[in-house]
Amino acid sequence: MVGVLLLLLLFPLLLYIAAPHIRKMLANGVCASTVQLPGKVVVITGANTGIGKETAKELAQRGARVYLACRDVQKGELVAKEIQNVTGNKQVLVRKLDLADTKSIRSFAEDFLAEEKHLHILINNAGVMMCPYSKTADGFEMHIGVNHLGHFLLTHLLLDKLKESAPSRVVNVSSLAHHMGRIHFHNLQGQRFYSAGLAYCHSKLANILFTKELAQRLKGSGVTVYSVHPGTVHTELTRHSSFLRCVWWILSAFIKTPEQGAQTSLHCALTEGLESLSGHHFSDCQVAWVSPQGRNMTTARRLWDVSCDLLGLPMH
Ligand SMILES: NC(=O)c1ccc[n+]([C@@H]2O[C@H](COP(=O)([O-])OP(=O)(O)OC[C@H]3O[C@@H](n4cnc5c(N)ncnc54)[C@H](OP(=O)(O)O)[C@@H]3O)[C@@H](O)[C@H]2O)c1
Ligand SMILES: *[C@@H]1O[C@H](CO)[C@@H](O)[C@H](O)[C@H]1NC(C)=O
Ligand SMILES: *[C@@H]1O[C@H](CO)[C@@H](O)[C@H](O)[C@H]1NC(C)=O
Ligand SMILES: *[C@@H]1O[C@H](CO)[C@@H](O)[C@H](O)[C@H]1NC(C)=O
């Protein structure tokens, strides 16, 4: 009896002592590339916290000029200072970008194109998860609006610059959650039925479909594109769901740190010889399985056209 009680008490203790080792075991995949980036230009969205911040730090460490595209410039400036301080790279710049507002996206792109000659790496990292039903400035449902349409427009506006700077890369941070996603064209904005959890999954599926379609359209241009599942990572992503926040907190000793979560994005941005895998989905720094919905090129093409239509872009 006493033995059982003791065991029950000891077990959590032992678990927490073992936690760092368990985390190391679970956090597979480290970006092994030693590529340095002097003279290279990087844009990364949602870089003021979480996975984006760690990704930006590592790219700055390697000597790139890094633009932190953030909706909250003040938060961004603090992080830029911190990264400059840690890396010694002063070329870490903050620019205002609110992906929930196409005006903001257009003005970000306009200023960037006027200011910079090149763009070598674009990392579409920002994301919202499980927020209550709400709309962007343009009336799109928030998940599809920010995670998909916002990045779609941004990528479109920067595409010529990427082509001129080839070899260049685009990395889309998607998620394992895409497996539960479906593209319902009659309910793209959650207007008939809305579930915050599913809306996130749908938008992450959209990221994957776009990566595939864009990879095809960019064949031969020297611009290659990848989508990424970063892993289960301890970040602020769960801020809209107290249930998930609780789960993440309990798991926090085991799941990936933001630094570990950044590894697959870095792998896709940096590793030499990845070009032939353009359009593929990566997890733990390896090519990963995509759901059947994520491989349906009919859906990918239709989503492309619908997105152009919603954003008033020419379909070419
Ligand atoms: N954490 C995980 O376990 C996990 C798993 C799979 C996929 N992911 C993906 O990883 C990416 C990064 O997430 P994270 O875990 O690092 O989450 P996070 O800590 O919540 O960071 C998200 C970032 O996106 C920014 N953002 C949100 N809405 C925006 C908008 N309208 N305009 C511009 N920026 C906006 C946030 O800015 P503010 O700070 O101003 O809100 C923040 O910088 C996301 O795409 C997410 O879907 C994460
Ligand atoms: C920069 O680094 C110095 C010394 O490491 C530290 O004292 C200072 O607080 C840091 N500043 C910022 C803004 O992180
Ligand atoms: C990334 O995803 C966005 C939104 O789904 C899409 O517009 C863009 O073309 C994608 N880019 C790449 C490289 O996959
Ligand atoms: C792709 O999706 C469409 C529409 O949902 C479906 O009719 C079609 O059978 C799917 N194609 C494949 C190859 O799965």
Side-chain angles (χ1 to χ4, degrees), residues 194-228:
Y194 181 74
S195 139
L198 286 179
Y200 177 72
C201 301
H202 300 335
S203 71
K204 291 285 136 179
L205 172 61
N207 290 152
I208 289 188
L209 290 168
F210 262 96
T211 303
K212 291 212 174 300
E213 180 68 21
L214 189 64
Q216 287 216 336
R217 289 176 185 243
L218 288 176
K219 251 188 203 144
S221 72
V223 188
T224 54
V225 306
Y226 313 88
S227 64
V228 162

PDB file of all heavy atoms in Angstrom, residues 194-228:
ATOM      1  N   TYR A 194     -19.438  27.253 -38.633  1.00  0.00           N
ATOM      2  CA  TYR A 194     -18.116  27.675 -38.168  1.00  0.00           C
ATOM      3  C   TYR A 194     -17.676  26.894 -36.941  1.00  0.00           C
ATOM      4  O   TYR A 194     -18.399  26.794 -35.956  1.00  0.00           O
ATOM      5  CB  TYR A 194     -18.123  29.172 -37.827  1.00  0.00           C
ATOM      6  CG  TYR A 194     -16.767  29.663 -37.371  1.00  0.00           C
ATOM      7  CD1 TYR A 194     -15.735  29.840 -38.295  1.00  0.00           C
ATOM      8  CD2 TYR A 194     -16.498  29.919 -36.027  1.00  0.00           C
ATOM      9  CE1 TYR A 194     -14.485  30.272 -37.887  1.00  0.00           C
ATOM     10  CE2 TYR A 194     -15.250  30.352 -35.618  1.00  0.00           C
ATOM     11  CZ  TYR A 194     -14.253  30.528 -36.548  1.00  0.00           C
ATOM     12  OH  TYR A 194     -13.015  30.954 -36.156  1.00  0.00           O
ATOM     13  N   SER A 195     -16.482  26.314 -37.023  1.00  0.00           N
ATOM     14  CA  SER A 195     -15.847  25.735 -35.847  1.00  0.00           C
ATOM     15  C   SER A 195     -14.429  26.279 -35.830  1.00  0.00           C
ATOM     16  O   SER A 195     -13.694  26.158 -36.815  1.00  0.00           O
ATOM     17  CB  SER A 195     -15.842  24.213 -35.950  1.00  0.00           C
ATOM     18  OG  SER A 195     -14.616  23.695 -35.492  1.00  0.00           O
ATOM     19  N   ALA A 196     -14.062  26.900 -34.721  1.00  0.00           N
ATOM     20  CA  ALA A 196     -12.756  27.561 -34.654  1.00  0.00           C
ATOM     21  C   ALA A 196     -11.627  26.566 -34.922  1.00  0.00           C
ATOM     22  O   ALA A 196     -10.673  26.869 -35.634  1.00  0.00           O
ATOM     23  CB  ALA A 196     -12.583  28.224 -33.291  1.00  0.00           C
ATOM     24  N   GLY A 197     -11.747  25.347 -34.362  1.00  0.00           N
ATOM     25  CA  GLY A 197     -10.699  24.344 -34.544  1.00  0.00           C
ATOM     26  C   GLY A 197     -10.584  23.922 -35.998  1.00  0.00           C
ATOM     27  O   GLY A 197      -9.486  23.867 -36.556  1.00  0.00           O
ATOM     28  N   LEU A 198     -11.734  23.642 -36.622  1.00  0.00           N
ATOM     29  CA  LEU A 198     -11.696  23.205 -38.018  1.00  0.00           C
ATOM     30  C   LEU A 198     -11.249  24.329 -38.939  1.00  0.00           C
ATOM     31  O   LEU A 198     -10.535  24.096 -39.917  1.00  0.00           O
ATOM     32  CB  LEU A 198     -13.074  22.681 -38.438  1.00  0.00           C
ATOM     33  CG  LEU A 198     -13.427  21.299 -37.868  1.00  0.00           C
ATOM     34  CD1 LEU A 198     -14.816  20.877 -38.310  1.00  0.00           C
ATOM     35  CD2 LEU A 198     -12.396  20.252 -38.302  1.00  0.00           C
ATOM     36  N   ALA A 199     -11.652  25.564 -38.623  1.00  0.00           N
ATOM     37  CA  ALA A 199     -11.260  26.695 -39.470  1.00  0.00           C
ATOM     38  C   ALA A 199      -9.738  26.774 -39.556  1.00  0.00           C
ATOM     39  O   ALA A 199      -9.174  27.062 -40.621  1.00  0.00           O
ATOM     40  CB  ALA A 199     -11.834  27.995 -38.915  1.00  0.00           C
ATOM     41  N   TYR A 200      -9.073  26.490 -38.443  1.00  0.00           N
ATOM     42  CA  TYR A 200      -7.602  26.472 -38.443  1.00  0.00           C
ATOM     43  C   TYR A 200      -7.093  25.370 -39.366  1.00  0.00           C
ATOM     44  O   TYR A 200      -6.211  25.613 -40.204  1.00  0.00           O
ATOM     45  CB  TYR A 200      -7.088  26.257 -37.015  1.00  0.00           C
ATOM     46  CG  TYR A 200      -5.585  26.156 -36.908  1.00  0.00           C
ATOM     47  CD1 TYR A 200      -4.778  27.279 -37.066  1.00  0.00           C
ATOM     48  CD2 TYR A 200      -4.967  24.931 -36.648  1.00  0.00           C
ATOM     49  CE1 TYR A 200      -3.402  27.186 -36.972  1.00  0.00           C
ATOM     50  CE2 TYR A 200      -3.583  24.827 -36.547  1.00  0.00           C
ATOM     51  CZ  TYR A 200      -2.806  25.956 -36.710  1.00  0.00           C
ATOM     52  OH  TYR A 200      -1.439  25.858 -36.618  1.00  0.00           O
ATOM     53  N   CYS A 201      -7.659  24.178 -39.239  1.00  0.00           N
ATOM     54  CA  CYS A 201      -7.227  23.044 -40.071  1.00  0.00           C
ATOM     55  C   CYS A 201      -7.420  23.346 -41.554  1.00  0.00           C
ATOM     56  O   CYS A 201      -6.548  23.063 -42.383  1.00  0.00           O
ATOM     57  CB  CYS A 201      -8.010  21.786 -39.705  1.00  0.00           C
ATOM     58  SG  CYS A 201      -7.816  21.297 -37.987  1.00  0.00           S
ATOM     59  N   HIS A 202      -8.572  23.923 -41.904  1.00  0.00           N
ATOM     60  CA  HIS A 202      -8.844  24.247 -43.309  1.00  0.00           C
ATOM     61  C   HIS A 202      -7.787  25.208 -43.849  1.00  0.00           C
ATOM     62  O   HIS A 202      -7.279  25.046 -44.959  1.00  0.00           O
ATOM     63  CB  HIS A 202     -10.220  24.904 -43.460  1.00  0.00           C
ATOM     64  CG  HIS A 202     -11.356  24.040 -42.999  1.00  0.00           C
ATOM     65  ND1 HIS A 202     -11.288  22.666 -42.968  1.00  0.00           N
ATOM     66  CD2 HIS A 202     -12.602  24.357 -42.555  1.00  0.00           C
ATOM     67  CE1 HIS A 202     -12.438  22.180 -42.510  1.00  0.00           C
ATOM     68  NE2 HIS A 202     -13.243  23.181 -42.248  1.00  0.00           N
ATOM     69  N   SER A 203      -7.474  26.224 -43.030  1.00  0.00           N
ATOM     70  CA  SER A 203      -6.532  27.238 -43.524  1.00  0.00           C
ATOM     71  C   SER A 203      -5.136  26.636 -43.696  1.00  0.00           C
ATOM     72  O   SER A 203      -4.382  27.027 -44.593  1.00  0.00           O
ATOM     73  CB  SER A 203      -6.488  28.441 -42.576  1.00  0.00           C
ATOM     74  OG  SER A 203      -5.833  28.111 -41.366  1.00  0.00           O
ATOM     75  N   LYS A 204      -4.797  25.662 -42.867  1.00  0.00           N
ATOM     76  CA  LYS A 204      -3.474  25.038 -42.972  1.00  0.00           C
ATOM     77  C   LYS A 204      -3.427  24.084 -44.171  1.00  0.00           C
ATOM     78  O   LYS A 204      -2.379  23.895 -44.782  1.00  0.00           O
ATOM     79  CB  LYS A 204      -3.129  24.318 -41.666  1.00  0.00           C
ATOM     80  CG  LYS A 204      -2.888  25.278 -40.506  1.00  0.00           C
ATOM     81  CD  LYS A 204      -1.546  25.965 -40.633  1.00  0.00           C
ATOM     82  CE  LYS A 204      -1.566  27.431 -40.340  1.00  0.00           C
ATOM     83  NZ  LYS A 204      -0.258  28.080 -40.443  1.00  0.00           N
ATOM     84  N   LEU A 205      -4.572  23.487 -44.512  1.00  0.00           N
ATOM     85  CA  LEU A 205      -4.656  22.702 -45.746  1.00  0.00           C
ATOM     86  C   LEU A 205      -4.473  23.625 -46.952  1.00  0.00           C
ATOM     87  O   LEU A 205      -3.778  23.280 -47.920  1.00  0.00           O
ATOM     88  CB  LEU A 205      -6.008  21.975 -45.823  1.00  0.00           C
ATOM     89  CG  LEU A 205      -6.317  21.261 -47.143  1.00  0.00           C
ATOM     90  CD1 LEU A 205      -5.280  20.173 -47.430  1.00  0.00           C
ATOM     91  CD2 LEU A 205      -7.723  20.653 -47.118  1.00  0.00           C
ATOM     92  N   ALA A 206      -5.087  24.812 -46.875  1.00  0.00           N
ATOM     93  CA  ALA A 206      -4.947  25.779 -47.970  1.00  0.00           C
ATOM     94  C   ALA A 206      -3.474  26.119 -48.192  1.00  0.00           C
ATOM     95  O   ALA A 206      -3.022  26.231 -49.341  1.00  0.00           O
ATOM     96  CB  ALA A 206      -5.755  27.042 -47.660  1.00  0.00           C
ATOM     97  N   ASN A 207      -2.699  26.239 -47.131  1.00  0.00           N
ATOM     98  CA  ASN A 207      -1.258  26.521 -47.258  1.00  0.00           C
ATOM     99  C   ASN A 207      -0.567  25.451 -48.091  1.00  0.00           C
ATOM    100  O   ASN A 207       0.276  25.751 -48.938  1.00  0.00           O
ATOM    101  CB  ASN A 207      -0.573  26.546 -45.886  1.00  0.00           C
ATOM    102  CG  ASN A 207      -0.953  27.733 -45.023  1.00  0.00           C
ATOM    103  OD1 ASN A 207      -0.920  27.649 -43.813  1.00  0.00           O
ATOM    104  ND2 ASN A 207      -1.306  28.846 -45.637  1.00  0.00           N
ATOM    105  N   ILE A 208      -0.936  24.196 -47.843  1.00  0.00           N
ATOM    106  CA  ILE A 208      -0.282  23.088 -48.540  1.00  0.00           C
ATOM    107  C   ILE A 208      -0.677  23.056 -50.008  1.00  0.00           C
ATOM    108  O   ILE A 208       0.158  22.895 -50.897  1.00  0.00           O
ATOM    109  CB  ILE A 208      -0.637  21.756 -47.838  1.00  0.00           C
ATOM    110  CG1 ILE A 208       0.082  21.725 -46.498  1.00  0.00           C
ATOM    111  CG2 ILE A 208      -0.272  20.561 -48.705  1.00  0.00           C
ATOM    112  CD1 ILE A 208      -0.004  20.435 -45.764  1.00  0.00           C
ATOM    113  N   LEU A 209      -1.970  23.255 -50.272  1.00  0.00           N
ATOM    114  CA  LEU A 209      -2.440  23.244 -51.663  1.00  0.00           C
ATOM    115  C   LEU A 209      -1.763  24.356 -52.454  1.00  0.00           C
ATOM    116  O   LEU A 209      -1.398  24.174 -53.608  1.00  0.00           O
ATOM    117  CB  LEU A 209      -3.959  23.403 -51.691  1.00  0.00           C
ATOM    118  CG  LEU A 209      -4.728  22.185 -51.179  1.00  0.00           C
ATOM    119  CD1 LEU A 209      -6.204  22.527 -50.974  1.00  0.00           C
ATOM    120  CD2 LEU A 209      -4.579  21.010 -52.141  1.00  0.00           C
ATOM    121  N   PHE A 210      -1.585  25.502 -51.804  1.00  0.00           N
ATOM    122  CA  PHE A 210      -0.947  26.601 -52.502  1.00  0.00           C
ATOM    123  C   PHE A 210       0.523  26.345 -52.772  1.00  0.00           C
ATOM    124  O   PHE A 210       1.045  26.732 -53.804  1.00  0.00           O
ATOM    125  CB  PHE A 210      -1.134  27.914 -51.752  1.00  0.00           C
ATOM    126  CG  PHE A 210      -2.252  28.637 -52.350  1.00  0.00           C
ATOM    127  CD1 PHE A 210      -3.509  28.543 -51.812  1.00  0.00           C
ATOM    128  CD2 PHE A 210      -2.074  29.316 -53.539  1.00  0.00           C
ATOM    129  CE1 PHE A 210      -4.575  29.131 -52.414  1.00  0.00           C
ATOM    130  CE2 PHE A 210      -3.136  29.918 -54.150  1.00  0.00           C
ATOM    131  CZ  PHE A 210      -4.406  29.833 -53.591  1.00  0.00           C
ATOM    132  N   THR A 211       1.167  25.707 -51.842  1.00  0.00           N
ATOM    133  CA  THR A 211       2.572  25.390 -52.036  1.00  0.00           C
ATOM    134  C   THR A 211       2.704  24.514 -53.281  1.00  0.00           C
ATOM    135  O   THR A 211       3.588  24.722 -54.122  1.00  0.00           O
ATOM    136  CB  THR A 211       3.137  24.669 -50.805  1.00  0.00           C
ATOM    137  OG1 THR A 211       2.935  25.512 -49.675  1.00  0.00           O
ATOM    138  CG2 THR A 211       4.620  24.406 -50.958  1.00  0.00           C
ATOM    139  N   LYS A 212       1.798  23.543 -53.425  1.00  0.00           N
ATOM    140  CA  LYS A 212       1.862  22.633 -54.566  1.00  0.00           C
ATOM    141  C   LYS A 212       1.595  23.368 -55.878  1.00  0.00           C
ATOM    142  O   LYS A 212       2.323  23.216 -56.855  1.00  0.00           O
ATOM    143  CB  LYS A 212       0.841  21.507 -54.389  1.00  0.00           C
ATOM    144  CG  LYS A 212       1.199  20.563 -53.267  1.00  0.00           C
ATOM    145  CD  LYS A 212       0.718  19.159 -53.591  1.00  0.00           C
ATOM    146  CE  LYS A 212       1.185  18.149 -52.566  1.00  0.00           C
ATOM    147  NZ  LYS A 212       2.640  18.056 -52.465  1.00  0.00           N
ATOM    148  N   GLU A 213       0.529  24.165 -55.873  1.00  0.00           N
ATOM    149  CA  GLU A 213       0.163  24.874 -57.094  1.00  0.00           C
ATOM    150  C   GLU A 213       1.263  25.874 -57.477  1.00  0.00           C
ATOM    151  O   GLU A 213       1.668  25.962 -58.640  1.00  0.00           O
ATOM    152  CB  GLU A 213      -1.171  25.589 -56.891  1.00  0.00           C
ATOM    153  CG  GLU A 213      -1.682  26.380 -58.079  1.00  0.00           C
ATOM    154  CD  GLU A 213      -2.104  25.512 -59.267  1.00  0.00           C
ATOM    155  OE1 GLU A 213      -2.377  24.307 -59.066  1.00  0.00           O
ATOM    156  OE2 GLU A 213      -2.138  26.047 -60.394  1.00  0.00           O
ATOM    157  N   LEU A 214       1.766  26.588 -56.498  1.00  0.00           N
ATOM    158  CA  LEU A 214       2.801  27.590 -56.764  1.00  0.00           C
ATOM    159  C   LEU A 214       4.073  26.919 -57.267  1.00  0.00           C
ATOM    160  O   LEU A 214       4.723  27.425 -58.200  1.00  0.00           O
ATOM    161  CB  LEU A 214       3.091  28.389 -55.487  1.00  0.00           C
ATOM    162  CG  LEU A 214       3.985  29.609 -55.652  1.00  0.00           C
ATOM    163  CD1 LEU A 214       3.322  30.642 -56.547  1.00  0.00           C
ATOM    164  CD2 LEU A 214       4.297  30.252 -54.301  1.00  0.00           C
ATOM    165  N   ALA A 215       4.419  25.775 -56.694  1.00  0.00           N
ATOM    166  CA  ALA A 215       5.624  25.064 -57.134  1.00  0.00           C
ATOM    167  C   ALA A 215       5.522  24.733 -58.623  1.00  0.00           C
ATOM    168  O   ALA A 215       6.483  24.894 -59.375  1.00  0.00           O
ATOM    169  CB  ALA A 215       5.803  23.788 -56.320  1.00  0.00           C
ATOM    170  N   GLN A 216       4.344  24.299 -59.050  1.00  0.00           N
ATOM    171  CA  GLN A 216       4.155  23.978 -60.465  1.00  0.00           C
ATOM    172  C   GLN A 216       4.306  25.219 -61.325  1.00  0.00           C
ATOM    173  O   GLN A 216       4.961  25.209 -62.355  1.00  0.00           O
ATOM    174  CB  GLN A 216       2.756  23.400 -60.662  1.00  0.00           C
ATOM    175  CG  GLN A 216       2.640  21.994 -60.130  1.00  0.00           C
ATOM    176  CD  GLN A 216       1.721  21.145 -60.993  1.00  0.00           C
ATOM    177  OE1 GLN A 216       0.858  21.662 -61.687  1.00  0.00           O
ATOM    178  NE2 GLN A 216       1.920  19.839 -60.953  1.00  0.00           N
ATOM    179  N   ARG A 217       3.665  26.301 -60.885  1.00  0.00           N
ATOM    180  CA  ARG A 217       3.698  27.527 -61.678  1.00  0.00           C
ATOM    181  C   ARG A 217       5.098  28.131 -61.744  1.00  0.00           C
ATOM    182  O   ARG A 217       5.397  28.890 -62.647  1.00  0.00           O
ATOM    183  CB  ARG A 217       2.727  28.547 -61.087  1.00  0.00           C
ATOM    184  CG  ARG A 217       1.290  28.149 -61.314  1.00  0.00           C
ATOM    185  CD  ARG A 217       0.319  29.092 -60.654  1.00  0.00           C
ATOM    186  NE  ARG A 217      -1.040  28.588 -60.800  1.00  0.00           N
ATOM    187  CZ  ARG A 217      -1.999  29.231 -61.477  1.00  0.00           C
ATOM    188  NH1 ARG A 217      -1.763  30.399 -62.019  1.00  0.00           N
ATOM    189  NH2 ARG A 217      -3.196  28.692 -61.592  1.00  0.00           N
ATOM    190  N   LEU A 218       5.928  27.823 -60.764  1.00  0.00           N
ATOM    191  CA  LEU A 218       7.257  28.439 -60.717  1.00  0.00           C
ATOM    192  C   LEU A 218       8.351  27.523 -61.268  1.00  0.00           C
ATOM    193  O   LEU A 218       9.529  27.864 -61.187  1.00  0.00           O
ATOM    194  CB  LEU A 218       7.593  28.820 -59.274  1.00  0.00           C
ATOM    195  CG  LEU A 218       6.813  30.012 -58.716  1.00  0.00           C
ATOM    196  CD1 LEU A 218       7.136  30.244 -57.253  1.00  0.00           C
ATOM    197  CD2 LEU A 218       7.089  31.278 -59.524  1.00  0.00           C
ATOM    198  N   LYS A 219       7.969  26.382 -61.821  1.00  0.00           N
ATOM    199  CA  LYS A 219       8.969  25.462 -62.359  1.00  0.00           C
ATOM    200  C   LYS A 219       9.895  26.184 -63.325  1.00  0.00           C
ATOM    201  O   LYS A 219       9.436  26.892 -64.212  1.00  0.00           O
ATOM    202  CB  LYS A 219       8.266  24.316 -63.090  1.00  0.00           C
ATOM    203  CG  LYS A 219       8.404  23.028 -62.318  1.00  0.00           C
ATOM    204  CD  LYS A 219       7.900  21.818 -63.060  1.00  0.00           C
ATOM    205  CE  LYS A 219       7.565  20.739 -62.053  1.00  0.00           C
ATOM    206  NZ  LYS A 219       6.401  19.951 -62.426  1.00  0.00           N
ATOM    207  N   GLY A 220      11.192  26.023 -63.131  1.00  0.00           N
ATOM    208  CA  GLY A 220      12.145  26.626 -64.055  1.00  0.00           C
ATOM    209  C   GLY A 220      12.481  28.069 -63.750  1.00  0.00           C
ATOM    210  O   GLY A 220      13.334  28.664 -64.399  1.00  0.00           O
ATOM    211  N   SER A 221      11.824  28.676 -62.755  1.00  0.00           N
ATOM    212  CA  SER A 221      12.075  30.091 -62.456  1.00  0.00           C
ATOM    213  C   SER A 221      13.227  30.271 -61.473  1.00  0.00           C
ATOM    214  O   SER A 221      13.688  31.385 -61.262  1.00  0.00           O
ATOM    215  CB  SER A 221      10.822  30.734 -61.865  1.00  0.00           C
ATOM    216  OG  SER A 221      10.621  30.250 -60.539  1.00  0.00           O
ATOM    217  N   GLY A 222      13.651  29.173 -60.827  1.00  0.00           N
ATOM    218  CA  GLY A 222      14.695  29.307 -59.815  1.00  0.00           C
ATOM    219  C   GLY A 222      14.130  29.642 -58.448  1.00  0.00           C
ATOM    220  O   GLY A 222      14.858  29.717 -57.467  1.00  0.00           O
ATOM    221  N   VAL A 223      12.805  29.856 -58.374  1.00  0.00           N
ATOM    222  CA  VAL A 223      12.173  30.059 -57.071  1.00  0.00           C
ATOM    223  C   VAL A 223      11.570  28.724 -56.650  1.00  0.00           C
ATOM    224  O   VAL A 223      10.775  28.147 -57.393  1.00  0.00           O
ATOM    225  CB  VAL A 223      11.042  31.114 -57.138  1.00  0.00           C
ATOM    226  CG1 VAL A 223      10.541  31.429 -55.726  1.00  0.00           C
ATOM    227  CG2 VAL A 223      11.501  32.374 -57.848  1.00  0.00           C
ATOM    228  N   THR A 224      11.964  28.219 -55.489  1.00  0.00           N
ATOM    229  CA  THR A 224      11.394  26.954 -55.027  1.00  0.00           C
ATOM    230  C   THR A 224      10.624  27.186 -53.735  1.00  0.00           C
ATOM    231  O   THR A 224      10.895  28.135 -53.001  1.00  0.00           O
ATOM    232  CB  THR A 224      12.481  25.879 -54.824  1.00  0.00           C
ATOM    233  OG1 THR A 224      13.483  26.391 -53.948  1.00  0.00           O
ATOM    234  CG2 THR A 224      13.099  25.478 -56.144  1.00  0.00           C
ATOM    235  N   VAL A 225       9.638  26.320 -53.485  1.00  0.00           N
ATOM    236  CA  VAL A 225       8.689  26.562 -52.400  1.00  0.00           C
ATOM    237  C   VAL A 225       8.459  25.293 -51.582  1.00  0.00           C
ATOM    238  O   VAL A 225       8.466  24.195 -52.119  1.00  0.00           O
ATOM    239  CB  VAL A 225       7.349  27.086 -52.967  1.00  0.00           C
ATOM    240  CG1 VAL A 225       7.559  28.287 -53.847  1.00  0.00           C
ATOM    241  CG2 VAL A 225       6.619  26.028 -53.753  1.00  0.00           C
ATOM    242  N   TYR A 226       8.269  25.473 -50.301  1.00  0.00           N
ATOM    243  CA  TYR A 226       8.132  24.336 -49.390  1.00  0.00           C
ATOM    244  C   TYR A 226       7.074  24.652 -48.335  1.00  0.00           C
ATOM    245  O   TYR A 226       6.935  25.806 -47.940  1.00  0.00           O
ATOM    246  CB  TYR A 226       9.472  24.060 -48.679  1.00  0.00           C
ATOM    247  CG  TYR A 226      10.646  24.045 -49.638  1.00  0.00           C
ATOM    248  CD1 TYR A 226      11.320  25.222 -49.951  1.00  0.00           C
ATOM    249  CD2 TYR A 226      11.030  22.874 -50.271  1.00  0.00           C
ATOM    250  CE1 TYR A 226      12.369  25.222 -50.867  1.00  0.00           C
ATOM    251  CE2 TYR A 226      12.068  22.866 -51.190  1.00  0.00           C
ATOM    252  CZ  TYR A 226      12.738  24.041 -51.478  1.00  0.00           C
ATOM    253  OH  TYR A 226      13.759  24.049 -52.391  1.00  0.00           O
ATOM    254  N   SER A 227       6.361  23.629 -47.890  1.00  0.00           N
ATOM    255  CA  SER A 227       5.494  23.832 -46.724  1.00  0.00           C
ATOM    256  C   SER A 227       6.040  22.988 -45.571  1.00  0.00           C
ATOM    257  O   SER A 227       6.713  21.982 -45.784  1.00  0.00           O
ATOM    258  CB  SER A 227       4.043  23.490 -47.034  1.00  0.00           C
ATOM    259  OG  SER A 227       3.901  22.130 -47.344  1.00  0.00           O
ATOM    260  N   VAL A 228       5.723  23.421 -44.362  1.00  0.00           N
ATOM    261  CA  VAL A 228       6.395  22.884 -43.184  1.00  0.00           C
ATOM    262  C   VAL A 228       5.391  22.594 -42.071  1.00  0.00           C
ATOM    263  O   VAL A 228       4.469  23.377 -41.850  1.00  0.00           O
ATOM    264  CB  VAL A 228       7.409  23.944 -42.669  1.00  0.00           C
ATOM    265  CG1 VAL A 228       7.815  23.668 -41.243  1.00  0.00           C
ATOM    266  CG2 VAL A 228       8.623  24.008 -43.575  1.00  0.00           C
TER     267      VAL A 228
END
